[in-house]
Amino acid sequence: MKVQDILDKISYTRLIGNSNSVVNDVIQLDPSNTRDDIICWCSQKNIGILNDVKHGTIITPPFEMEPEPGCNYIIADNPRSAFKEMLEAFFVTPDPEFRIESSARIASTATVGKSYIGHNTVIEDHCVIGDGCIILHNNVIHANTKIQDKVRIGSNNTIGGVGFGYEKDEQGNYSVIPHIGNVTIEEAAEIGNNTCIDRAVLGTTLISRNAKIDNLVHIAHGVVIGENSLIIANAMVAGSVRVGRNSWVAPSSSILNKVTVGNDVTIGMGAVVLKNVTDGEVVVGNPAKPLQKRSS
């Protein structure tokens, strides 16, 4: 492609350089690069590195240095977003066509809209899958799960299984409490790979609209994840936890049963959350304690 082809697809403010230059590959920002046919991006915090980059096309925030003659500079207010737009337009493998692979197993009582269901995925009784969903391979979606439109689910997930809820009997032995609730995943939410989302004992485990759940996450029974919140790899969200809107739960963090996490919260990496977290707080450590509040 040419630089002009990229400019036609992304949000930018101006070009310094040659719009007819050819781009064949994408790399990270690298001062040692000697190829002219690559494209990369530069964040504001790495702007000083631009002085050492002598070749290629760079999507970058505004800068004050003298441009290098061997470089093209695509100036963007949000270079990371522009870089994302470029990747989506030219380098991402297209989504599969909406179809059900022959190795998938769909219960006769389940309803599946115009979506893609991958190899060896099992969808049990009374599940409802909306339109525009991408559900990849080797997933088990247990009975009564509701998945709204445009949800994306990776591979090797278990959604709607029985949670870890037990009660001792008269002999002191543990027996499982029946889980008769379900899981609901709202529109445009995304689930990664190798993640487990348990159904509620009563009611619903809810993944709200546009929430993003990373790989290797455990969402226990009765949890609510708010709109636009991100739950990152290896996080554990225990039973009946409520996570508000626009919150970030960092890798390897754990949240105790029935804790409420507010809106716009950041939970730091590896934090162990034992108490409620109010709106806007940043909590870190074990046990997690407030670090600061985000400025409004």
Side-chain angles (χ1 to χ4, degrees):
M1 76 200 79
K2 293 184 178 181
V3 169
Q4 185 59 55
D5 298 323
I6 295 171
L7 298 179
D8 291 340
K9 296 290 187 180
I10 69 172
S11 303
Y12 74 104
T13 56
R14 65 190 180 106
L15 171 71
I16 301 173
N18 182 5
S19 63
N20 289 316
S21 296
V22 173
V23 173
N24 287 317
D25 203 359
V26 182
I27 66 169
Q28 294 181 336
L29 186 68
D30 182 6
S32 67
N33 169 62
T34 58
R35 292 174 56 186
D36 292 324
D37 66 335
I38 61 87
I39 189 167
C40 57
W41 78 284
C42 179
S43 65
Q44 186 64 52
K45 69 178 182 180
N46 291 325
I47 200 76
I49 298 176
L50 279 183
N51 290 302
D52 301 319
V53 178
K54 309 298 183 183
H55 300 273
T57 299
I58 308 105
I59 302 175
T60 178
F63 58 84
E64 297 180 357
M65 63 175 236
E66 187 69 23
E68 290 289 339
C71 292
N72 301 305
Y73 302 92
I74 299 174
I75 310 301
D77 293 332
N78 188 338
R80 187 182 188 196
S81 178
F83 186 71
K84 171 182 174 290
E85 292 172 345
M86 185 274 302
L87 291 177
E88 290 174 338
F90 297 103
F91 291 95
V92 174
T93 302
D95 287 333
E97 294 181 359
F98 295 142
R99 65 180 184 273
I100 298 173
E101 298 290 1
S102 60
S103 59
R105 294 293 177 263
I106 315 294
S108 61
T109 58
T111 301
V112 178
K114 190 176 181 181
S115 292
Y116 176 79
I117 310 298
H119 294 286
N120 302 312
T121 285
V122 175
I123 299 176
E124 293 187 344
D125 285 325
H126 306 294
C127 289
V128 177
I129 314 295
D131 293 328
C133 297
I134 304 292
I135 300 176
L136 295 180
H137 317 300
N138 303 312
N139 294 290
V140 177
I141 301 175
H142 286 282
N144 301 306
T145 298
K146 312 299 181 187
I147 297 176
Q148 296 182 2
D149 297 344
K150 300 179 181 178
V151 168
R152 302 180 69 93
I153 297 175
S155 297
N156 306 307
N157 298 286
T158 301
I159 298 173
V162 174
F164 196 80
Y166 291 86
E167 186 62 35
K168 283 185 178 181
D169 61 21
E170 293 178 356
Q171 288 74 43
N173 298 316
Y174 285 105
S175 60
V176 69
I177 298 172
H179 288 57
I180 61 173
N182 76 329
V183 171
T184 294
I185 302 175
E186 292 187 340
E187 181 177 356
E190 298 185 14
I191 313 296
N193 305 303
N194 300 294
T195 282
C196 180
I197 303 174
D198 295 336
R199 69 177 181 257
V201 175
L202 301 171
T204 294
T205 300
L206 177 63
I207 310 300
S208 298
R209 181 182 177 277
N210 206 48
K212 313 300 181 186
I213 313 297
D214 198 4
N215 303 332
L216 297 165
V217 169
H218 177 63
I219 305 291
H221 47 204
V223 166
V224 173
I225 304 297
E227 288 189 12
N228 214 45
S229 285
L230 282 74
I231 315 297
I232 318 302
N234 296 314
M236 190 287 295
V237 184
S240 300
V241 165
R242 300 290 187 266
V243 177
R245 301 183 305 276
N246 300 309
S247 289
W248 171 282
V249 178
S252 300
S253 56
S254 300
I255 307 175
L256 185 69
N257 288 8
K258 299 183 179 180
V259 163
T260 297
V261 174
N263 303 320
D264 303 299
V265 164
T266 296
I267 294 175
M269 184 176 292
V272 178
V273 181
L274 304 178
K275 298 180 179 180
N276 293 346
V277 183
T278 60
D279 292 354
E281 279 193 320
V282 177
V283 297
V284 298
N286 180 9
K289 296 181 179 179
L291 181 65
Q292 66 184 54
K293 279 209 171 188
R294 290 181 180 169
S295 57
S296 57

